[in-house]
Amino acid sequence: MIDWNLALQIFISGVSIVMLVMFMLQITVSVSSIVVRYFERHLEKAKE
C-alpha cells in the first residue's frame, strides 16, 4: 500500500528544492553579470 501523505510530502519538498535552486541560480547569474559589467567599465576607463 502506498502512503500517499509521504509521497505528497516528498513531491512537494522536491519541487520546493528545485524552485529554490533555480532562484539561487538566477541570483548568481544576475550578480555575476553586474560584476562583469563593472569590470568591463573599469577596464575601459583604465585604457583611456
Side-chain angles (χ1 to χ4, degrees):
M1 187 80 187
I2 297 175
D3 185 5
W4 287 107
N5 191 23
L6 181 63
L8 189 62
Q9 256 185 333
I10 292 171
F11 176 75
I12 289 174
S13 66
V15 169
S16 300
I17 290 171
V18 168
M19 290 179 73
L20 179 67
V21 167
M22 295 297 282
F23 180 69
M24 296 294 279
L25 186 62
Q26 187 176 6
I27 289 176
T28 304
V29 168
S30 298
V31 168
S32 65
S33 108
I34 289 171
V35 169
V36 166
R37 268 191 245 128
Y38 170 77
F39 279 114
E40 283 178 347
R41 289 180 187 152
H42 185 70
L43 288 175
E44 282 180 8
K45 288 181 181 177
K47 284 182 181 178
E48 290 177 356

